[in-house]
Amino acid sequence: MSNAPLSGANLRGAVDLSSLSKPRPTPASSPVPPSPTAGGSGAGALVRDASDATFTAILELSRTVPVIVEFYGQGVESTLTPIIESYGGRLALAKVHAPVNPQLVQAFQVQQVPTVAAIVGERPLHLFIGAIAEEEVRQVFDQVLQLGVQNGVTGTISPHTETDAPAEPVEEPLPPLHQEAYDAIEAGDLARAIASYRAAITQNPRDSLAVAGLAQVSLLQRMEHADAALIRDAAASAPASAAAQLAVADLDVAAGHFDDAFARLLDLFPTLDVDSRDAVRTRLLEYFEIVGADDPRVTAARRRLAMLLY
């Protein structure tokens, strides 16, 4: 954790949440399904499980109270609930299971768990990585509350229990192969998840959710053991290499720098041979699935790719 006090400037450009500020598919149609505990929490409204599919609600909540966002993973459980409860409704906690929510992991540039961030008035900032002492946690949260005051986010929410909270809508079951992919992701078996999504596409080539899920999990697999410094050095040393530029484009997409990835590959495209062009075109189409067809950055990049192809 940085010793520097938080300030209003920290709320500008910390991470890119623009792709998460529009309505998301329901869990039944999400390419990579949310955690099965999404929406349920013993602390009710104060503590919520959040996912790629439900994060719009967290952004909306952050206009009322600052929301702490905690990323956890396999064997790394949330520890912040008692501290959040002690603030009496002036803070909320959104818990994100990192392995099954790649869009949030990309947007917040999560490199390890636990990672803790905050959303104040729909604007994000990083807080700390790893476990720190409760006294330090409280100091950080007090500063987040001060930022809330500076930005007019000073409400409170009631700590409803599960029995008091409105009933959650019943989620439709996932298609069998999508469920297999989800279970594989939960187990950390990305190769099996990829195989399940490919089987779903073989059964139904129009299964757009399987196509998007395959693109997301394939990126996660490529990034699993990636060394960012080595990849960027290789790309700088071989600016005309499609393989080197594809690798660094993966880094950019994983960090949410979609425009950088698109520009890098589209600038390179005219200089490539036929095989390399095909590889770059295929990878760009995967990125378009990850970002979303209705994103204006995808629209612009798709238009430029079409002009380069024809």
Side-chain angles (χ1 to χ4, degrees):
M1 181 189 71
S2 169
N3 292 323
L6 303 178
S7 70
N10 294 129
L11 289 176
R12 294 193 294 272
V15 295
D16 179 12
L17 298 187
S18 59
S19 64
L20 301 169
S21 63
K22 53 182 179 293
R24 289 282 173 194
T26 62
S29 63
S30 178
V32 178
S35 166
T37 60
S41 172
L46 290 180
V47 180
R48 308 179 182 202
D49 291 285
S51 70
D52 290 346
T54 63
F55 204 73
T56 297
I58 301 302
L59 292 174
E60 292 172 355
L61 179 64
S62 75
R63 296 200 297 263
T64 301
V65 297
V67 180
I68 305 300
V69 183
E70 182 182 22
F71 288 85
Y72 67 98
Q74 205 74 20
V76 180
E77 298 299 326
S78 170
T79 60
L80 298 181
T81 296
I83 301 175
I84 292 294
E85 290 174 336
S86 73
Y87 279 86
R90 293 182 296 149
L91 289 174
L93 174 64
K95 300 188 297 181
V96 180
H97 190 200
V100 295
N101 291 288
Q103 290 173 315
L104 287 171
V105 167
Q106 291 166 21
F108 281 89
Q109 302 174 31
V110 175
Q111 301 296 322
Q112 66 181 74
V113 290
T115 287
V116 179
I119 306 288
V120 181
E122 297 194 356
R123 293 186 290 177
L125 69 157
H126 291 292
L127 297 182
F128 55 87
I129 298 172
I132 64 175
E134 180 176 335
E135 181 181 353
E136 292 181 274
V137 173
R138 291 186 179 278
Q139 290 174 0
V140 174
F141 287 1
D142 289 345
Q143 292 181 60
V144 171
L145 284 172
Q146 293 172 14
L147 282 179
V149 171
Q150 295 169 16
N151 289 271
V153 180
T154 57
T156 58
I157 55 177
S158 300
H160 294 301
T161 63
E162 283 187 286
T163 54
D164 296 329
E168 293 289 329
V170 177
E171 296 179 2
E172 298 177 21
L174 291 164
L177 287 169
H178 288 245
Q179 184 64 54
E180 285 182 18
Y182 167 73
D183 293 340
I185 295 166
E186 277 277 83
D189 190 346
L190 299 182
R192 183 159 61 90
I194 288 171
S196 297
Y197 278 129
R198 283 178 174 161
I201 294 167
T202 299
Q203 284 188 1
N204 177 14
R206 295 180 179 273
D207 187 343
S208 60
L209 300 174
V211 172
L214 176 60
Q216 292 174 342
V217 180
S218 296
L219 174 64
L220 290 177
Q221 186 185 54
R222 292 194 300 270
M223 296 301 299
E224 198 169 15
H225 303 294
D227 184 314
L230 290 178
I231 288 171
R232 293 198 181 278
D233 286 346
S237 300
S241 166
Q245 301 309 315
L246 284 168
V248 81
D250 275 348
L251 289 179
D252 288 336
V253 170
H257 304 313
F258 306 124
D259 281 335
D260 291 343
F262 295 164
R264 176 184 298 275
L265 297 185
L266 290 168
D267 288 347
L268 179 67
F269 192 86
T271 70
L272 300 174
D273 59 32
V274 173
D275 290 341
S276 295
R277 284 190 177 198
D278 188 58
V280 168
R281 182 187 65 83
T282 299
R283 186 68 58 82
L284 281 168
L285 294 179
E286 290 182 9
Y287 293 161
F288 296 164
E289 293 290 345
I290 291 171
V291 182
D294 58 346
D295 190 290
R297 293 168 295 187
V298 168
T299 302
R302 193 185 293 276
R303 184 183 305 115
R304 186 177 171 195
L305 177 61
M307 293 175 63
L308 291 171
L309 287 170
Y310 305 109

